[in-house]
Amino acid sequence: RHSICSPIFYRYELLQKQLFQLEEAEGGIDLFTRSYRIFGVQRRPDNSLFFKEWAPAAEALFLTGDFNGWDKFSHPYSKTEFGKWELILPPKYDKSPAVDHNTKLKVVVHTKEGQRLYRISPWAKYVTREEKSVIYDWIHWDPPQPYIQIHPRPKKPTSLRIYEAHVGIASPEGKIASYTNFTINVLPRIKDLGYNCIQLMAIMEHAYYASFGYQITSFFAASSRYGTPDELKQMIDVAHSMGILVLLDVVHSHASKNTEDGLNRFDGSDSCFFHSPPRGEHSQWGSRLFNYSSWEVLRFLLSNLRWWMEEYCFDGFRFDGITSMLYHHHGIGTVFTGDYSEYFGLQVDEDSVVYLMLANHILHTFYPDCITVAEDVSGMPAVCRGVQEGGLGFDYRLAMAIPDKWIQILKELKDEDWDIGNIVYTLTNRRYGEKCIAYAESHDQALVGDKTLAFWLMDKEMYTNMSFLSPMTPIIDRGLQLHKMIRLLTHGLGGEGYLNFMGNEFGHPEWLDFPREGNNHSYHYARRQFNLVDMDHLRYCQLYAFDRDMNRTEDKYGWLAAPPAFVSAKHEEDKVIVFDRANVLFIFNFHHIKSFQDYRVAVELPGKYKIKLDSDEFQYGGHGRLDHNTEFFTEAQPFNGRSNSMRVNILTSHF
Ligand SMILES: *[C@@H]1O[C@H](CO)[C@@H](O)[C@H](O)[C@H]1NC(C)=O
Ligand SMILES: *[C@@H]1O[C@H](CO)[C@@H](O)[C@H](O)[C@H]1NC(C)=O
Ligand SMILES: *[C@@H]1O[C@H](CO)[C@@H](O)[C@H](O)[C@H]1NC(C)=O
Ligand SMILES: CC(=O)N[C@H]1CO[C@H](CO)[C@@H](O)[C@@H]1O
Ligand SMILES: CC(=O)N[C@H]1CO[C@H](CO)[C@@H](O)[C@@H]1O
């Protein structure tokens, strides 16, 4: 016990020390973590512009751009303490700012070796790329009439139902869709589907589209591929007006290795924001790793979180790649079995651990309703416990073993070989007192090389046999039924929140692949075919309807917010799973041919039960075999660990 507790106390001490130093040295944490109001470029009340950068290894810094005809020497920054540089541009004679809105800028960095480097400010709020150019430009963004968000953040829901989305692929067309398209075309769908939260990926600017938004080049810039910062603000505002929260998929675990439009070698050195190599390089991702023990890196990253909260009114974050941060080995070639020795010891990167504690502490202090989600495959204990307990302070973690299990089953097992006990184990195996987001598939499972659950289930027949106008084939029948059952089982049993990746709610076929050299820069798979669900003669709308009603049923009964389910049956031979949660009884028959009459199922609460959600309903592509007017009365006969039981007919899901 001692061996587990002492590192947790140690972490807490490190955090306290760090908080104390921040409070002492920089006029308090609030100011320190809002450094985006000091660095980069600021317009002052008199319309002078104040520029500030941290470039410790630089010999000299100049500002150049449209405003001075790209003169490389006319506007030097002056050096201040701790490797910082400042420059003030007085207003023009007409009192307007010296740099116009929507014009280009660059920082020119002179190195000790005599190089002259053109850089984008790490704090740039907007960067764009001209069609023929490969390199992004820093654009001075200071619109005369900025969009003002008017809708307050919705109340934090007790049941989190997350719609994971990517703006650029959110249309059926083979091109990049915009923030405005998303606002007009996708938000109403998300609302109708009953999701109360959107998790937005690929927002922080990434020069390489095919990185799926995970190789960030400009941390403070909302990707200009989809439109302007104001259009993103409007999108979030409209989501809020619908009662939907928006989480940002934030990537603080690493950064793109680009130099001209990324953070790498900003001041000419190979450290600056990052550890110097080899520690500062991720061997598999080919990207740079932050030095979380550096004061200026803490300023940059913590201010980045507050920037997205304050400027765009996000409601929280999904922190990407936590496992890579937590361990010096980054999880590469490591298998986690659950042994405590794997989570504590010299392999743990305490700097990162303290950074994550600090980030969660600051977010939850300034925004008590802020939601943070950790993407950690290792299963480190206490990731979702409060920092005051020595935890990392996240609200939720992604239950990453669940989607892998479903894919493995669909790839490898015949229906009669499904291991019911193992499925239930995977769905319920989570740390006591730490909340999980369950999901059957996220964007990860849809990436090229893999394919969506629907496509695993129905494959090529999705192209030819999804029409109502032709009889249901056995493959389509099985696929439709299992698609719904897998999702409902995951929803009911797998966690305290649920996540769906855009399009999979209606059984999106195929996979995701971004335009890149290897596919001749094709957008064919970088889109979501919402048109399929809108075609009345195709069966996609039935899966959509089930997903919608699954969420609406949850909204009514709140099982995600209830304590974990009580599993009363996991019958290996019958392939039956029965559990209750929030006084809702869930019954699944995964048997490929057998139906059961008068099958006894256990319930805790005595009384009358009725069918509320039935995957066999016609409207969901089922066979309509159950009578929803039936009332089920419990008998005071204890069964399978519950005080009462009753008899039900449970039909095989498919023929
Ligand atoms: C990380 O930053 C600290 C503090 O600035 C510095 O002392 C240390 O050398 C840096 N580490 C590496 C590996 O670059
Ligand atoms: C399924 O699609 C194939 C290929 O188009 C077709 O030959 C077959 O008749 C379809 N089956 C049914 C039952 O419609
Ligand atoms: C890309 O295009 C070239 C020439 O048109 C063709 O030879 C090649 O097979 C294509 N590659 C892919 C992956 O489509
Ligand atoms: C790329 C894309 O999705 N474009 C569409 C945006 O939305 C309008 C309608 O609102 C369509 O006409 C565009 O084709
Ligand atoms: C966020 C959301 O759309 N919630 C809806 C879920 O379903 C219930 C029941 O239909 C609606 O009342 C909620 O508005």
Side-chain angles (χ1 to χ4, degrees):
R1 204 181 148 76
H2 180 76
S3 63
I4 299 165
C5 285
S6 55
I8 286 189
F9 285 131
Y10 175 62
R11 281 173 194 176
Y12 185 63
E13 270 170 32
L14 288 177
L15 173 72
Q16 291 304 318
K17 215 170 95 193
Q18 192 69 262
L19 281 172
F20 179 78
Q21 284 174 357
L22 293 179
E23 206 57 79
E24 286 291 290
E26 292 266 347
I29 293 167
D30 189 24
L31 226 65
F32 182 75
T33 57
R34 288 210 211 194
S35 293
Y36 58 81
R37 291 179 168 185
I38 299 164
F39 282 76
V41 51
Q42 314 293 327
R43 179 158 53 83
R44 292 182 161 171
D46 67 349
N47 273 348
S48 62
L49 295 175
F50 176 73
F51 293 81
K52 190 177 176 92
E53 297 299 344
W54 175 61
E59 280 290 293
L61 240 60
F62 294 86
L63 185 72
T64 185
D66 292 330
F67 81 100
N68 67 2
W70 295 95
D71 189 318
K72 295 185 276 290
F73 298 106
S74 56
H75 290 84
Y77 287 71
S78 45
K79 191 167 187 176
T80 66
E81 50 179 8
F82 306 122
K84 288 170 198 158
W85 303 80
E86 293 177 2
L87 164 63
I88 294 171
L89 291 186
K92 291 195 277 209
Y93 62 92
D94 66 355
K95 304 273 189 293
S96 66
V99 179
D100 291 335
H101 166 58
N102 219 357
T103 61
K104 288 181 195 167
L105 291 170
K106 280 248 151 104
V107 180
V108 189
V109 175
H110 290 218
T111 69
K112 293 194 176 70
E113 294 76 31
Q115 287 171 291
R116 202 189 304 141
L117 308 170
Y118 289 86
R119 293 292 187 250
I120 291 177
S121 168
W123 304 80
K125 288 181 258 187
Y126 189 55
V127 295
T128 61
R129 176 162 55 187
E130 285 183 358
E131 215 160 314
K132 287 187 199 80
S133 169
V134 272
I135 303 295
Y136 271 78
D137 286 304
W138 174 20
I139 305 292
H140 181 58
W141 192 256
D142 187 12
Q145 272 151 346
Y147 183 85
I148 309 284
Q149 289 166 310
I150 52 170
H151 297 285
R153 291 193 172 102
K155 233 179 109 242
K156 179 175 171 172
T158 48
S159 293
L160 205 55
R161 300 184 298 270
I162 301 175
Y163 194 82
E164 185 186 32
H166 181 298
V167 173
I169 62 172
S171 91
E173 291 165 83
K175 54 185 171 189
I176 298 173
S178 67
Y179 295 123
T180 304
N181 257 75
F182 196 94
T183 306
I184 296 170
N185 300 325
V186 186
L187 285 183
R189 292 180 193 269
I190 298 173
K191 172 70 184 160
D192 180 56
L193 282 162
Y195 289 93
N196 53 22
C197 183
I198 299 170
Q199 180 178 298
L200 270 185
M201 50 195 314
I203 293 298
M204 300 164 78
E205 190 61 275
H206 47 294
Y208 185 45
Y209 193 44
S211 76
F212 221 139
Y214 290 119
Q215 306 239 341
I216 307 300
T217 38
S218 287
F219 283 71
F220 286 80
S223 180
S224 59
R225 276 194 189 84
Y226 328 123
T228 65
D230 293 73
E231 285 158 358
L232 174 58
K233 284 182 195 172
Q234 182 181 37
M235 181 179 133
I236 294 170
D237 203 25
V238 174
H240 284 170
S241 78
M242 295 174 166
I244 299 173
L245 313 182
V246 189
L247 306 184
L248 177 74
D249 193 342
V250 78
V251 190
H252 281 184
S253 48
H254 65 130
S256 161
K257 68 171 190 301
N258 287 11
T259 51
E260 280 173 81
D261 52 13
L263 272 191
N264 191 16
R265 303 187 78 93
F266 173 65
D267 66 352
S269 77
D270 64 6
S271 51
C272 200
F273 289 94
F274 309 106
H275 285 297
S276 36
R279 191 178 168 191
E281 284 171 350
H282 194 290
S283 60
Q284 276 185 353
W285 298 341
S287 50
R288 298 299 319 259
L289 299 173
F290 286 105
N291 181 350
Y292 304 99
S293 67
S294 152
W295 193 253
E296 293 305 323
V297 172
L298 290 182
R299 178 202 305 284
F300 183 75
L301 294 177
L302 294 172
S303 297
N304 188 238
L305 296 174
R306 293 209 61 193
W307 162 258
W308 294 108
M309 292 300 286
E310 296 282 332
E311 181 74 8
Y312 287 93
C313 227
F314 277 97
D315 300 281
F317 301 94
R318 171 227 195 237
F319 279 75
D320 178 66
I322 294 301
T323 311
S324 167
M325 294 173 72
L326 292 179
Y327 307 97
H328 290 296
H329 55 58
H330 308 302
I332 298 170
T334 309
V335 179
F336 292 92
T337 61
D339 194 283
Y340 278 115
S341 66
E342 294 161 355
Y343 305 119
F344 302 101
L346 291 177
Q347 75 276 29
V348 175
D349 185 335
E350 296 294 345
D351 294 342
S352 312
V353 169
V354 172
Y355 167 67
L356 290 171
M357 293 171 84
L358 207 51
N360 276 305
H361 174 77
I362 280 158
L363 287 172
H364 289 109
T365 303
F366 289 114
Y367 317 98
D369 281 344
C370 174
I371 295 171
T372 59
V373 181
E375 192 218 16
D376 169 36
V377 281
S378 78
M380 176 175 278
V383 161
C384 303
R385 300 300 302 190
V387 293
Q388 68 287 351
E389 297 177 292
L392 264 55
F394 286 99
D395 297 293
Y396 296 91
R397 72 163 95 228
L398 293 171
M400 299 181 75
I402 297 175
D404 291 345
K405 177 56 67 180
W406 287 125
I407 295 283
Q408 183 218 338
I409 290 172
L410 296 185
K411 267 188 202 171
E412 297 173 6
L413 299 182
K414 291 197 294 248
D415 291 354
E416 47 273 42
D417 296 334
W418 284 28
D419 183 341
I420 296 296
N422 183 257
I423 292 170
V424 169
Y425 171 79
T426 306
L427 285 162
T428 53
N429 175 28
R430 50 188 186 268
R431 296 194 181 280
Y432 179 77
E434 298 192 43
K435 292 194 273 190
C436 281
I437 306 282
Y439 54 105
E441 50 183 333
S442 71
H443 73 268
D444 277 331
Q445 284 69 38
L447 287 177
V448 60
D450 217 322
K451 46 195 187 186
T452 64
L453 279 188
F455 214 54
W456 276 116
L457 286 162
M458 297 177 273
D459 210 336
K460 289 188 260 311
E461 287 211 4
M462 295 193 86
Y463 295 117
T464 51
N465 299 82
M466 281 296 269
S467 169
F468 290 124
L469 306 175
S470 59
M472 192 127 85
T473 67
I475 286 179
I476 296 295
D477 189 7
R478 171 180 176 273
L480 291 180
Q481 313 319 332
L482 285 179
H483 192 265
K484 291 174 287 185
M485 291 171 70
I486 286 171
R487 298 165 74 77
L488 181 61
L489 180 59
T490 305
H491 205 306
L493 195 55
E496 287 64 38
Y498 177 76
L499 177 143
N500 166 65
F501 178 64
M502 183 169 64
N504 291 342
E505 70 277 9
F506 62 80
H508 202 285
E510 303 179 325
W511 53 88
L512 275 172
D513 193 6
F514 282 80
R516 58 192 166 86
E517 224 161 283
N519 65 14
N520 283 351
H521 304 283
S522 163
Y523 281 91
H524 184 72
Y525 295 106
R527 61 192 180 123
R528 297 267 99 182
Q529 302 178 50
F530 290 112
N531 53 312
L532 294 176
V533 80
D534 296 337
M535 290 184 198
D536 288 341
H537 70 286
L538 297 183
R539 297 184 186 278
Y540 295 96
C541 60
Q542 299 178 319
L543 295 179
Y544 178 98
F546 184 76
D547 198 80
R548 176 194 65 208
D549 292 352
M550 177 169 77
N551 284 321
R552 291 183 177 183
T553 311
E554 199 290 326
D555 199 71
K556 197 159 167 194
Y557 298 99
W559 60 73
L560 290 170
F566 181 92
V567 181
S568 56
K570 38 181 178 180
H571 200 294
E572 222 51 73
E573 233 165 86
D574 297 348
K575 303 277 180 248
V576 165
I577 300 172
V578 182
F579 61 89
D580 58 90
R581 190 173 182 192
N583 291 325
V584 179
L585 184 65
F586 293 79
I587 306 171
F588 295 84
N589 175 6
F590 282 101
H591 204 288
H592 65 296
I593 43 173
K594 263 199 211 162
S595 295
F596 304 95
Q597 305 296 321
D598 287 331
Y599 198 87
R600 186 172 290 282
V601 293
V603 286
E604 191 50 38
L605 221 62
K608 186 175 80 182
Y609 283 73
K610 292 200 70 173
I611 296 172
K612 289 293 172 187
L613 183 67
D614 168 14
S615 64
D616 196 43
E617 263 194 72
F618 283 126
Q619 61 158 324
Y620 307 139
H623 303 285
R625 290 166 294 172
L626 292 175
D627 178 1
H628 288 211
N629 295 317
T630 313
E631 295 179 335
F632 301 87
F633 294 93
T634 59
E635 301 162 41
Q637 182 177 335
F639 186 63
N640 282 355
R642 286 319 223 183
S643 311
N644 298 285
S645 57
M646 59 190 184
R647 292 175 178 280
V648 295
N649 292 342
I650 44 179
L651 308 166
T652 179
S653 60
H654 44 285
F655 305 120

